[in-house]
Amino acid sequence: VQLQASGGGLVQAGGSLRLSCKVSGRTSTPYTIGWFRQAPDKEREFVAAISWDGSIPYYADSVKGRFTISRDNARITVYLQMNSLKPEDTAVYYCAADSSLGGIAIVPLATEYEYWGQGTQVTVSS
């Protein structure tokens, strides 16, 4: 499976961005899709994830109430709506797919995800 992340950019603090992750290839396989981010000199950290049918979203505490993850009915694109952005949200954002749990469970660990997109830069200015 291939994943392509897009939608990053430069925004002022308090602003919004919507990231997209397009999934191609074996789209009939049930995947959990997750978003992770990595800031310079920091570990890659979990941001949010969503189950195969879109019924189970899960968020890191740092983004809860500000970010919303969703996926379209065709299960081809997963979105991350980011509101009330803060300078500490600045990072490269990656989407990733996990097929090991049948798309019905979420594990917020990067090592759980087999497939990764190329990343999109999000920069929030103060």
Side-chain angles (χ1 to χ4, degrees):
V1 66
Q2 294 81 44
L3 301 105
Q4 183 174 2
S6 62
L10 173 64
V11 64
Q12 288 187 330
S16 299
L17 283 173
R18 189 176 79 158
L19 305 184
S20 298
C21 176
K22 184 176 179 181
V23 183
S24 60
R26 293 165 54 192
T27 56
S28 61
T29 301
Y31 295 105
T32 293
I33 300 294
W35 284 97
F36 292 78
R37 65 188 182 187
Q38 189 165 18
D41 300 321
K42 291 191 176 181
E43 298 283 324
R44 189 167 297 191
E45 66 172 350
F46 172 80
V47 175
I50 193 164
S51 59
W52 173 245
D53 65 356
S55 66
I56 306 174
Y58 185 76
Y59 301 94
D61 288 343
S62 59
V63 306
K64 203 173 292 183
R66 300 188 297 124
F67 291 10
T68 303
I69 190 170
S70 61
R71 66 193 307 166
D72 65 356
N73 290 335
R75 303 188 182 103
I76 293 175
T77 306
V78 173
Y79 302 99
L80 184 69
Q81 178 66 42
M82 306 187 297
N83 298 330
S84 302
L85 283 162
K86 305 175 182 180
E88 51 263 44
D89 294 317
T90 295
V92 177
Y93 283 69
Y94 300 89
C95 59
D98 171 18
S99 67
S100 65
L101 299 175
I104 60 173
I106 294 171
V107 178
L109 295 173
T111 53
E112 181 71 18
Y113 293 75
E114 309 106 288
Y115 306 99
W116 290 81
Q118 82 287 4
T120 185
Q121 175 71 46
V122 172
T123 303
V124 184
S125 62
S126 56

